[in-house]
Amino acid sequence: MDAGASDDAGAGVSTSTDAGAEAVVLRRARAVDARAAADVWLRSFAAALPTVVRPRSDSEVRAYFRHVVVERYETWVAQEADGAVAGVMVLEGEELSQLYLAPERRGCGIGDRFVALAKERRADGLSLWTFQVNAPARRFYERHGFRAVEWTDGDRNEEREPDVRYEWRPRSA
């Protein structure tokens, strides 16, 4: 799959300062970011979804980010002023396939900025899946104009966890 336009790879597209927090830049991920992005994913998954069983080990998740996610898909990171990665977002076609934040950075506006960027990058619309048990994520996406369009019993995901598919479409002019 195409990883997206190369003219913005690595370019910071947005900075802001949260109250009492350092500036965060959203930028295209590079190969060197794969480990940090995977670690954010692992920490976020553990914090947000403690009842969901992961079918992959930590090392398998890190290898997937290193060999697949950052190389094949349009992957973005939220980088702190000190260089630390605070979040990761992955776009696969019109699907927002990953959006994970470091647990200590939830509620700081980084997720809002990632969604705005995803909508800008996929102006014709987006879809995504989230687990039904992840009520905070569901509220977050609904607040951003996504609507639930399909509910499943989890038979199509590796975790075997009931999930819900959301869609966002721009309003007609």
Side-chain angles (χ1 to χ4, degrees), residues 89-166:
M89 177 184 76
V90 181
L91 298 169
E92 294 181 42
E94 77 163 29
E95 184 173 357
L96 174 53
S97 68
Q98 312 276 340
L99 198 164
Y100 288 88
L101 303 176
E104 68 277 7
R105 298 300 276 145
R106 287 183 61 199
C108 296
I110 298 169
D112 297 330
R113 291 173 54 212
F114 269 142
V115 169
L117 178 60
K119 287 178 176 181
E120 177 184 312
R121 304 287 297 171
R122 302 297 187 271
D124 290 335
L126 288 163
S127 65
L128 63 88
W129 289 92
T130 193
F131 296 116
Q132 292 180 29
V133 299
N134 195 348
R138 291 177 40 214
R139 285 191 302 272
F140 172 81
Y141 292 120
E142 289 166 5
R143 190 174 77 242
H144 285 280
F146 287 80
R147 61 181 191 85
V149 295
E150 181 180 3
W151 300 78
T152 80
D153 61 5
D155 66 339
R156 292 182 286 177
N157 64 56
E158 291 181 315
E159 296 83 1
R160 300 293 180 232
E161 182 71 30
D163 55 6
V164 56
R165 185 169 67 90
Y166 280 88

Side-chain angles (χ1 to χ4, degrees), residues 6-26:
S6 61
D7 59 341
D8 61 348
V13 297
S14 175
T15 61
S16 75
T17 305
D18 304 315
E22 296 176 323
V24 173
V25 174
L26 304 185

